[in-house]
Amino acid sequence: MSTLQPITLKRLASRRRGAALATSLVLIFAMSTLALGLVSLVGATIQMSQHRNDTTEAFNMADSGVDLAIAWLTQQASPPDDNALHPMTNFYGTNGTITAPFGQTGTTLTVRIDGDATNPTSTQKHYVIESQATMPSGASQTVRVYVQQASFGKYAYFTVNDGAGFWDFNNHFEGPFHSNDADGLQTTILWKSNNTANPMFTYTGDDAFSVSGNVTWWKNSIGVVSSPSSISDYKSIATSGQPSMTTGYKTDANGNFLLDSSGKKIPNSAQIPLPTTDYTQEYAAMGLPAPTPCTTAPAGTPTTAGATIVNSSGTVSGGIFLHGNSVVALSVNGSGNQVITVTQGTTIQTITVDPSNNQTKVDKSVSGVHTMTTLTGTPNGMVYSDGNITGLSGQIADNKVDSSGNITYRSQMTIATDIAASKDVTLTGSITYNTARNLSIAQASDTNFNQKAGVFGLLGHHISVASGAGPNLEYDGNIFATSTFDAANPSIPSSSSNGTMTSIGGVITQSSGIFAYANSDGSLASGYQEQYHYDTRLADHPPPFFPTTGNHYDVLSWQRVTGMLT
């Protein structure tokens, strides 16, 4: 028999130990490789997360830069009326670039405002705002927005003082309503319970009803104070309910009122001041650029009674200037042209605007003797009177539209009196567009109206509906009264033939006027039921030379872009 030699066992153990060491080294290498891969992956993930965070922060900062730019615009004494680039040098930073904005070291924020090319000559100013934020990591975001001065054409009804009477469930507003509540007398609403099928405010935007202060609520009957509380209550007042209604004052977390620097309570809906009285419309009628500020009347205005078509050697260079008190009738002739008839005593001037032939014709009749004048060109849409307009009614011509549906000429007109001298307007009948709005459908679907109907604006001190104007009236366009818009006699129409005053456009007034008297249950006793329908076109395309809201701006478009314009 035989046995293993000891030396052989030692060699075998040595070989086994060598194999185990090799296996361990392989495992260690594999684990190290895996660990390095995980470290690299985690590092990349952290880097990607940091880049994503930087990108998000850069975007938020760029968006805040837009807010800074709009704040800069609102702080100006008047909107910049040039088409220059404004890098906000006087507002924040150097040449529009802010270093370490909001305490972010190594970060830059560049903000600039570029005036639109039309700003030097347009009443409603437009601006492109660009804001670019760059983080220390290099992540950069740019935001570009297009803003315009807000027009009072955005409101179905706007008033500074609203304490003269009350609004009741017979009144309806298909558009934004706002009261500044400046007189402190509070807006009063007589609402009807369980009336969700026929609420007063049918506009579905979030600004259907706003008051810069508190509201007095009467329920079902005059003087019965009862505020809405349930969802049904609010929807009996506004189609969209409480979310579309803004009233009252701001409070802190403890319910204490917040106060401004003068110690007054801050309303939830900010007051919007009416523009100061100036001579912008008079300059427009004269075909002259209005200075900033526009505090003095232009020189060389007509002194001949009646209507003057401002022209230079037979070519129209401005608008229509009315000297003295007059009666104005608006009509449309068989060719679809706007006709303006101005009467002063025995003198009658018939002005026909003919854009198809680029002409304006004037037929002047003095005691029956006619004189014809033909001018080249058409007026700029401004009709200005330095006297009272003692009678106004009629129809506004349509736009000129080609066979492809393109608008080749916009029919637009603003009639204004000398509000600095408190000149008034008396409405003796309706003022309507030649193409009527179809109130049975949403305006967005009313393509015929949106394409064809002209645009009209009326500006005066006291604008009043005459007693004999008729039982059912319609006023298309924007009405702006620097004093009051009302009915001369709310007792007419009488209870046996109550009428309706329908506005398709908007009303802006210093003080709400009275159009009707009501019974104790809110039903109409006499006068006019008021129906206000917003014309969405007027927010972006207001009547020519119509007053704006001053330093308040609407954002028309918003974009995230790859870089700033050169």
Side-chain angles (χ1 to χ4, degrees), residues 261-348:
S261 57
S262 63
K264 294 181 179 179
K265 292 184 290 186
I266 302 173
N268 287 316
S269 180
Q271 290 188 350
I272 302 173
L274 289 183
T276 56
T277 299
D278 64 15
Y279 298 88
T280 299
Q281 288 73 35
E282 190 171 3
Y283 273 89
M286 294 299 295
L288 301 172
T292 302
C294 190
T295 54
T296 57
T301 57
T303 56
T304 302
T308 298
I309 313 295
V310 177
N311 68 94
S312 175
S313 302
T315 298
V316 178
S317 58
I320 301 173
F321 196 102
L322 309 181
H323 179 57
N325 297 343
S326 58
V327 173
V328 178
L330 308 173
S331 59
V332 180
N333 68 12
S335 299
N337 295 327
Q338 184 68 62
V339 179
I340 305 168
T341 303
V342 180
T343 301
Q344 292 183 335
T346 60
T347 300
I348 302 173

Side-chain angles (χ1 to χ4, degrees), residues 195-214:
N195 194 38
T196 57
N198 192 29
M200 296 174 61
F201 303 95
T202 59
Y203 179 64
T204 56
D206 58 7
D207 54 349
F209 176 75
S210 60
V211 176
S212 303
N214 292 326

Side-chain angles (χ1 to χ4, degrees), residues 174-444:
E174 187 204 15
F177 173 103
H178 179 81
S179 168
N180 275 348
D181 193 29
D183 54 8
L185 298 179
Q186 294 191 6
T187 294
T188 299
I189 301 292
L190 171 57
W191 62 285
K192 191 175 184 178
S193 60
N194 302 316
N195 194 38
T196 57
N198 192 29
M200 296 174 61
F201 303 95
T202 59
Y203 179 64
T204 56
D206 58 7
D207 54 349
F209 176 75
S210 60
V211 176
S212 303
N214 292 326
V215 175
T216 298
W217 299 100
W218 292 343
K219 181 179 178 180
N220 294 332
S221 297
I222 294 174
V224 179
V225 178
S226 181
S227 300
S229 57
S230 67
I231 293 177
S232 176
D233 287 348
Y234 282 105
K235 285 185 173 292
S236 293
I237 299 169
T239 298
S240 297
Q242 189 175 14
S244 65
M245 303 164 62
T246 306
T247 63
Y249 297 93
K250 295 182 182 296
T251 58
D252 61 20
N254 298 318
N256 300 311
F257 288 115
L258 299 178
L259 305 178
D260 61 18
S261 57
S262 63
K264 294 181 179 179
K265 292 184 290 186
I266 302 173
N268 287 316
S269 180
Q271 290 188 350
I272 302 173
L274 289 183
T276 56
T277 299
D278 64 15
Y279 298 88
T280 299
Q281 288 73 35
E282 190 171 3
Y283 273 89
M286 294 299 295
L288 301 172
T292 302
C294 190
T295 54
T296 57
T301 57
T303 56
T304 302
T308 298
I309 313 295
V310 177
N311 68 94
S312 175
S313 302
T315 298
V316 178
S317 58
I320 301 173
F321 196 102
L322 309 181
H323 179 57
N325 297 343
S326 58
V327 173
V328 178
L330 308 173
S331 59
V332 180
N333 68 12
S335 299
N337 295 327
Q338 184 68 62
V339 179
I340 305 168
T341 303
V342 180
T343 301
Q344 292 183 335
T346 60
T347 300
I348 302 173
Q349 293 169 279
T350 303
I351 303 166
T352 302
V353 180
D354 183 1
S356 298
N357 294 303
N358 194 33
Q359 291 180 338
T360 301
K361 298 178 180 180
V362 182
D363 178 0
K364 184 174 183 179
S365 171
V366 180
S367 299
V369 178
H370 291 262
T371 303
M372 292 292 297
T373 303
T374 299
L375 301 172
T376 300
T378 59
N380 60 12
M382 188 71 241
V383 179
Y384 182 85
S385 173
D386 62 12
N388 298 308
I389 296 179
T390 57
L392 176 63
S393 63
Q395 196 166 55
I396 305 300
D398 284 340
N399 299 323
K400 300 294 185 181
V401 181
D402 64 20
S403 58
S404 300
N406 301 310
I407 297 175
T408 58
Y409 174 84
R410 289 189 179 275
S411 173
Q412 49 187 359
M413 182 195 310
T414 295
I415 296 178
T417 59
D418 186 353
I419 55 177
S422 301
K423 298 303 180 181
D424 303 328
V425 179
T426 300
L427 300 172
T428 50
S430 295
I431 300 175
T432 59
Y433 293 137
N434 188 57
T435 294
R437 163 87 186 276
N438 183 355
L439 295 176
S440 66
I441 61 175
Q443 185 177 348

